[in-house]
Amino acid sequence: MADGAHRVGAFLIDIALSAGIAWIFTAPAAPQNWSLVPWAVITVVGVAVFGQTPGHVVVGIRVARFRAGGTVKFVGLWAVPRAALVAL
């Protein structure tokens, strides 16, 4: 189980990566809220497909997969409301 420091560290890495990607398209102006677009894509795709974002990989954590009927299910579409709630 990941502690708060690991979670915050992973989040900050993902935010920095997203801001860098957004800055490529908005330079020389600051990306402002445009950084939420690459962050949402990184979060939804990373968590839904791999169970990890780039920040999670760096700090060594992952999103827990749940079991339904004894079989392991992938995280899948649960990544969408998770990303939306964090973005708010």
Side-chain angles (χ1 to χ4, degrees):
M1 187 158 171
D3 62 358
H6 285 98
R7 292 173 196 259
V8 169
F11 181 70
L12 292 176
I13 291 168
D14 291 338
I15 290 296
L17 178 63
S18 300
I21 292 169
W23 184 80
I24 291 170
F25 296 103
T26 63
Q32 298 176 350
N33 286 338
W34 283 107
S35 60
L36 285 174
V37 174
W39 177 81
V41 171
I42 288 170
T43 300
V44 170
V45 172
V47 171
V49 177
F50 305 110
Q52 293 179 297
T53 66
H56 289 148
V57 173
V58 171
V59 298
I61 62 175
R62 67 181 306 120
V63 175
R65 299 171 190 268
F66 66 95
R67 295 182 179 269
T71 60
V72 177
K73 302 285 184 177
F74 69 100
V75 176
L77 293 178
W78 283 104
V80 175
R82 176 185 178 273
L85 290 172
V86 173
L88 290 175

